[in-house]
Each structure stands twice: as structure tokens, then as C-alpha cells.
Amino acid sequence: KVMKNAIEVEQLTKSYGDQLAVDNLCLSVDRGTVFGLLGANGAGKSTTIECILGTKKADKGVISILGLDPQTDRKKLFEKVGVQFQEANYQEKITVEELCEVTTSLYLEPADYLDLLIKFGIENKKGSLVKD
């Protein structure tokens, strides 16, 4: 079966206590589409993306990304989807190279991070701490 949509979201709802962050959101994104989620601060953009990726659990709704359930198929999903979160929390003393190695381990067919460090002109930073 060929999937038309890369992302399907039906009735996504997420609250934090009494604060409703996402209210009954429905959306679909066709395969091959470049999609941006825009809105004011506090509009629920980050929460929506985190629920779609399965890093936050929705209170209500059905989500499918690349035909996978982000809660039950997260490992398979992250092997197919590259993600750069808005805020990242790394170990205090991890080096750039160590972070690259950990990130590489998440994917089935990762790019060569050493080649990328060279391409972006930061190969001399591989031994530096990420916090620096």
C-alpha cells in the first residue's frame, strides 16, 4: 500500500494542567511536501511537533507519520526522520564528536559525520565540548 500522506493528525489535543496547548488539531501533509508550522509564541507549535514525533504523549487524537505510530514505533520512526529540536539538553561534558557518534547510532543509513564536520568547516571542533 502506498501512503499518500507523510503525516496524518486527527483531533490532537494536549494540555498541561489547566493550560490547553493544542485543541483538536487535524492536519495532513502529503509526501514530498515542505511543510512549515507557523504561529505566535505559545500557540502550540512545539507541542504539536513533539506529539507528532512521539516525544510527548497527546491527551487525545490519532497520529501517523510515515505510516508509523509515534508512540509505539518511535525507534523505527527516528531511523527515518531527522529531527533538530528547538531546545537541546546535552550532557554537560560531551564532546562534539561524541554527540555525533550518539546521533549517528539513531539512524539506519547515517551520513558520515566526519565528512559533514569538514564540509561545514568545523572539523577542528570535534574534540570541543558541545556547551562551548
Side-chain angles (χ1 to χ4, degrees), residues 51-117:
C51 288
I52 289 172
L53 293 170
T55 59
K56 285 227 184 332
K57 185 163 175 39
D59 297 336
K60 177 182 150 198
V62 177
I63 300 167
S64 171
I65 179 166
L66 301 176
L68 300 169
D69 179 315
Q71 286 295 313
T72 59
D73 300 318
R74 189 170 325 153
K75 177 147 178 45
K76 283 184 197 174
L77 178 64
F78 273 75
E79 289 172 349
K80 297 179 179 205
V81 176
V83 177
Q84 175 58 56
F85 291 102
Q86 181 175 331
E87 295 177 16
N89 295 315
Y90 302 116
Q91 294 174 351
E92 186 71 17
K93 297 192 178 186
I94 191 168
T95 66
V96 170
E97 186 168 29
E98 290 167 335
L99 180 58
C100 289
E101 288 173 357
V102 168
T103 303
T104 296
S105 72
L106 298 174
Y107 299 96
L108 286 176
E109 297 178 31
D112 183 324
Y113 72 84
L114 293 173
D115 288 344
L116 291 172
L117 292 175

